[in-house]
Amino acid sequence: MTKACLHALFARGQPVAFSRSFWPLAASWRRGETPENRPWIGQSGRVMHAYRTHNCGELRKSDVGAEVRLSGWVHRVRDHGGLLFIDLRDHYGLTQCVIEPGNSEFPMAEALRAEWVVRVDGRVEARSGDTVNPNLPTGEVEVRISALEVLSEAEELPLPVFGEPDYPEDIRLKYRFLDLRRETIHNNIIKRAAIIASIRRRMIDAGFFEFQTPILTASSPEGARDFLVPSRMHPGKFYALPQAPQQFKQLVMVSGFDRYFQIAPCFRDEDARADRSPGEFYQLDIEMSFVEQEDVFNAVEPVLRGLFEEFGGGKPVTQEFPRIPFGEAMRKYGTDKPDLRNPIEMSDVSEVFRGSGFKIFAGLLDKHKGGRPWFENAEVWAIPAKGGGSRAFCDRMNSWAQGEGQPGLGYIFFRNGEGAGPIAKNLGEDLTAKLRDELGLADGDAVFFVAGVPKDFADFAGRARTKAGEDLELLDKDRFEFCWIVDFPMFEWDEERKKIEFSHNPFSMPQGGLEALETKDPLDILAWQYDIVCNGVELSSGAIRNHKPEIMVKAFEIAGYDRSVLEEKFGGMLRALTYGAPPHGGIAPGIDRIVMLLCGTENIREVTMFPMNQQAEDLLMGAPGDVSPEQLRDLHIRLNLPKS
RNA sequence: GGGGGUGUAGCUCAGUUGGUUAGAGCGCUGGCCUGUCACGCCAGAGGCCGCGGGUUCGAGUCCCGUCACUCCCGCCA
């Protein structure tokens, strides 16, 4: 790319790709660099910058003959005795520099070690045909070193930057600044930044305003454990870090701002998982006024679809997110976060088995009947597995099920035009054929069965579906399959405390409003509550909120909370609803999980710059740490540590 | 709080049935090498086998305990 060409691109305001492969993402997203803030480019009698005239991903054949200055890290040294190569690396790329023994700087070049920071001056030279490196954007040229300055030395590395093997987490975290120089995670972090920038752009373009909400706020009685911050001015009282800006965003709507979003930090003092940082994470927090569920869907769906099309590496993205009621999701997929890349759908085949010759299932169906479907009545579900029609596969599934603590996994597999296996034998030819036809199966396929009361086996059935789909390689991994899960129940039975509880957010609006609360069985009431699921990952949860105080009072009453509790715990929210609250609703997609899906990683630490370890310790900064007695005295705190 | 996995050189790992002086690759140190790009070749240094206890003539290896990291369950409105 010539300088004239660069100028032309800058003038049109286009981003310029300086390099394409070493830090490909970093380079292609580079923006805003203009000739004005790079005064040494393209001018005669050029000003020589203290550190660089070009970055390490920038030089091309068209630069041959130029005297340039580069600064960066020594990525790799190849010493041939009579000839020495230095791969110089920075954020933008890699440039090969070369020096020969006659040069007065050669002794210094020989002393260089990996990750030293150096400045190199030299002339850009073309590489001869057979020495061109087609794997590097700068591979047609090299810099013939004329001067060399060590800007910073590095001790022997606890963690090499060159190469991409796995390293222990504790070392990676303790030396995160080295880890972050490595190509894959460096690109992930840059991609995260670009994703967040794109989200902001899309939200602002759609008419949303980004507002900040407090970090020091009040402890919330619902949900997770709070992080507490002691108050110096109010002895014995505590702030809490927000678990989410839930109440604030509703207050923003009551305050008349109409459309809010925020890349919001959320704090929850709960244990970590691979996909869940301990302590803190980010949500794309969204709230809108004068909307119904459909309006929220219409606002959010294009943002996510666009985002995944922009950053998903060309993998197909669901064009219209299907809406699946919670109850249907549980029956078809055994989970409220189905991976729709798995084509297997389960179905209720109880009627085939009722009174049949397969006495185990027939007996179960006979024993548990006449009660509440799902909670009390027995059913038999079929999990059709195309291509699973071998005894070996069916036995493998069966022993897997036993490993899951199940008695086993019944099956029929089809071959030579008939069903095989013990169930088929007992069921008889006609019913087996009926099953095969109803489920659309043929020779070479299998079907697995789970039986009992659905509320007890649905989760296991779902895992069996996942296992069958993955083992038979029925999933197309190279796509993003989205769906909405809708119509969640408003309440659920809390088996431990033997009482009715909110099943999601207590601020959600029940479908049917006050009338439903007053007339229906609470466990039958649905909420305007929804999730977005992508490839089996729950990306976000949202709701149309309850904006009427009398409905809120009634809903809390059903969950066993007196009006006084509501007033004590959510006084501010309740007060806000009594002075003209607009109907409103929103959602809060998890940023970290979106980035994980788009980076194709299972571990959240691969998309987080400075994560804590599983014990919620920051090994680089040493958090949590001790504080001085003076600090504690200021806060009116005396430690009462556990013994041992 | 509970369960699983891992822990041997700076790093990644091997180490057989309990048996002599614990090995390899990368890195490091020194030497050789003018076209490499995971450069190559030669030599060398480097070990509390996580820690503590036990069994045994003998433990990296078996047993018990403990610590660290990690994955999962609980938890995460």
Side-chain angles (χ1 to χ4, degrees):
Chain A
M1 187 179 289
T2 63
K3 280 163 193 161
C5 185
L6 274 172
H7 280 282
L9 278 170
F10 284 131
R12 288 206 307 274
Q14 296 296 311
V16 180
F18 285 109
S19 78
R20 220 159 278 133
S21 85
F22 190 73
W23 302 131
L25 303 167
S28 62
W29 289 325
R30 189 158 184 242
R31 285 164 192 275
E33 190 115 358
T34 65
E36 286 67 40
N37 57 28
R38 291 154 57 93
W40 54 89
I41 281 189
Q43 300 181 6
S44 56
R46 179 185 70 194
V47 180
M48 185 58 99
H49 186 275
Y51 299 117
R52 59 185 175 193
T53 56
H54 297 73
N55 67 53
C56 295
E58 195 173 356
L59 295 173
R60 295 291 182 276
K61 210 169 189 174
S62 56
D63 296 303
V64 166
E67 291 288 340
V68 300
R69 170 172 286 181
L70 301 178
S71 285
W73 285 265
V74 173
H75 192 62
R76 195 87 171 150
V77 178
R78 288 177 297 282
D79 185 352
H80 290 238
L83 183 69
L84 189 146
F85 298 100
I86 300 165
D87 286 341
L88 197 65
R89 183 198 77 234
D90 66 10
H91 173 76
Y92 305 99
L94 199 66
T95 300
Q96 174 166 289
C97 306
V98 61
I99 189 168
E100 292 174 10
N103 193 306
S104 62
E105 304 279 24
F106 191 80
M108 194 191 291
E110 275 188 314
L112 295 179
R113 291 293 172 266
E115 297 310 303
W116 288 24
V117 180
V118 298
R119 192 208 80 212
V120 165
D121 291 352
R123 180 184 297 274
V124 180
E125 295 184 353
R127 299 206 208 174
S128 65
D130 55 337
T131 64
V132 164
N133 185 344
N135 301 318
L136 282 180
T138 60
E140 286 190 298
V141 300
E142 63 193 2
V143 173
R144 179 73 52 168
I145 297 172
S146 57
L148 190 61
E149 182 191 3
V150 175
L151 302 174
S152 182
E153 297 186 5
E155 293 180 9
E156 188 180 345
L157 303 171
L159 171 79
V161 172
F162 176 79
E164 287 281 326
D166 289 334
Y167 288 93
E169 287 280 342
D170 43 347
I171 292 177
R172 291 184 60 190
L173 295 181
K174 186 172 174 187
Y175 299 94
R176 192 59 160 178
F177 44 88
L178 287 176
D179 194 27
L180 288 167
R181 290 181 199 166
R182 299 166 76 211
E183 186 171 3
T184 302
I185 191 165
H186 197 93
N187 284 341
N188 283 353
I189 297 297
I190 289 298
K191 188 164 183 174
R192 180 186 180 116
I195 288 168
I196 288 176
S198 176
I199 287 173
R200 284 213 161 89
R201 197 182 69 243
R202 289 168 191 277
M203 294 305 293
I204 290 165
D205 287 351
F208 289 83
F209 296 93
E210 183 168 16
F211 299 120
Q212 283 72 53
T213 52
I215 300 299
L216 292 175
T217 179
S219 175
S220 149
E222 285 287 322
R225 216 175 280 120
D226 284 317
F227 278 102
L228 298 178
V229 180
S231 164
R232 174 180 56 83
M233 297 179 69
H234 301 276
K237 297 198 181 221
F238 293 81
Y239 303 93
L241 306 184
Q243 295 184 21
Q246 178 64 35
Q247 293 190 64
F248 284 113
K249 68 173 173 176
Q250 293 193 236
L251 292 170
V252 169
M253 294 300 99
V254 177
S255 307
F257 288 102
D258 203 70
R259 291 189 146 203
Y260 147 92
F261 87 100
Q262 181 180 195
I263 309 294
C266 303
F267 305 91
R268 295 175 192 176
D269 187 3
E270 298 293 351
D271 289 348
R273 288 288 181 279
D275 63 350
R276 201 169 81 201
S277 287
E280 53 188 72
F281 61 97
Y282 285 83
Q283 288 183 339
L284 165 56
D285 201 37
I286 298 174
E287 199 74 5
M288 312 161 69
S289 285
F290 303 109
V291 291
E292 296 185 291
Q293 178 167 294
E294 204 60 27
D295 300 306
V296 177
F297 289 6
N298 289 336
V300 173
E301 206 175 301
V303 172
L304 285 183
R305 186 169 49 238
L307 204 59
F308 275 71
E309 282 171 344
E310 182 178 358
F311 295 101
K315 296 181 187 175
V317 180
T318 310
Q319 284 307 298
E320 188 154 334
F321 301 2
R323 289 100 203 263
I324 307 173
F326 170 81
E328 182 185 326
M330 293 304 293
R331 285 187 165 277
K332 277 189 180 168
Y333 311 110
T335 173
D336 60 358
K337 40 184 180 184
D339 188 343
L340 295 184
R341 295 174 305 172
N342 183 346
I344 297 176
E345 291 186 4
M346 304 189 291
S347 58
D348 179 2
V349 291
S350 305
E351 293 320 307
V352 176
F353 284 93
R354 201 179 298 281
S356 74
F358 190 61
K359 297 298 179 197
I360 301 173
F361 286 0
L364 260 176
L365 292 167
D366 199 43
K367 189 171 162 197
H368 303 279
K369 64 178 180 188
R372 269 174 87 86
W374 185 267
F375 296 97
E376 290 162 13
N377 290 354
E379 295 179 17
V380 179
W381 289 9
I383 308 170
K386 280 202 188 301
S390 72
R391 192 176 296 279
F393 177 73
C394 292
D395 282 347
R396 205 159 69 235
M397 286 294 290
N398 187 52
S399 33
W400 167 81
Q402 286 167 346
E404 296 285 300
Q406 302 292 324
L409 190 59
Y411 58 84
I412 296 174
F413 64 98
F414 299 97
R415 61 172 183 197
N416 307 326
E418 57 176 18
I423 293 184
K425 204 174 294 173
N426 286 299
L427 204 54
E429 219 170 282
D430 290 352
L431 285 175
T432 300
K434 184 171 148 82
L435 266 177
R436 186 195 58 208
D437 296 343
E438 273 183 14
L439 297 171
L441 298 176
D443 274 5
D445 299 336
V447 53
F448 297 94
F449 300 100
V450 287
V453 176
K455 90 171 162 57
D456 295 329
F457 74 58
D459 177 63
F460 165 71
R463 282 180 289 129
R465 166 185 178 266
T466 300
K467 171 89 178 153
E470 282 180 354
D471 285 7
L472 294 170
E473 294 178 1
L474 302 178
L475 284 73
D476 178 1
K477 300 260 186 200
D478 287 326
R479 47 193 313 119
F480 293 108
E481 286 285 353
F482 280 89
C483 62
W484 293 96
I485 306 295
V486 300
D487 298 341
F488 281 88
M490 182 80 187
F491 301 101
E492 64 189 15
W493 181 251
D494 185 333
E495 192 57 48
E496 261 180 36
R497 290 187 286 174
K498 304 289 178 199
K499 68 183 277 290
I500 287 173
E501 255 303 346
F502 290 108
S503 61
H504 276 72
N505 185 326
F507 302 127
S508 297
M509 180 68 99
Q511 295 187 21
L514 189 59
E515 193 191 334
L517 294 182
E518 283 173 339
T519 59
K520 295 179 81 168
D521 180 339
L523 296 178
D524 288 336
I525 298 170
L526 302 177
W528 294 113
Q529 170 88 41
Y530 36 83
D531 283 359
I532 293 178
V533 175
C534 177
N535 291 1
V537 176
E538 183 188 319
L539 275 190
S540 62
S541 192
I544 297 299
R545 321 296 174 188
N546 186 345
H547 69 285
K548 297 205 165 197
E550 65 271 22
I551 300 181
M552 191 168 287
V553 168
K554 181 70 187 170
F556 273 74
E557 184 190 309
I558 290 173
Y561 300 106
D562 191 72
R563 183 180 185 120
S564 63
V565 175
L566 179 57
E567 276 171 5
E568 186 194 337
K569 302 294 188 190
F570 303 106
M573 194 68 238
L574 194 61
R575 185 156 68 246
L577 299 188
T578 58
Y579 290 95
H584 62 287
I587 195 163
I591 298 278
D592 308 84
R593 292 207 175 150
I594 290 173
V595 177
M596 283 170 71
L597 277 172
L598 290 172
C599 289
T601 168
E602 305 271 311
N603 194 307
I604 198 163
R605 289 186 295 276
E606 300 300 323
V607 295
T608 309
M609 275 192 125
F610 300 107
M612 294 195 283
N613 69 7
Q614 197 175 35
Q615 279 67 248
E617 297 163 313
D618 178 338
L619 298 176
L620 179 55
M621 303 300 285
D626 294 322
V627 296
S628 70
E630 291 73 26
Q631 287 173 295
L632 289 177
R633 200 179 313 130
D634 265 356
L635 296 169
H636 324 286
I637 283 181
R638 187 182 304 144
L639 298 181
N640 177 17
L641 302 175
K643 297 185 186 95
S644 82

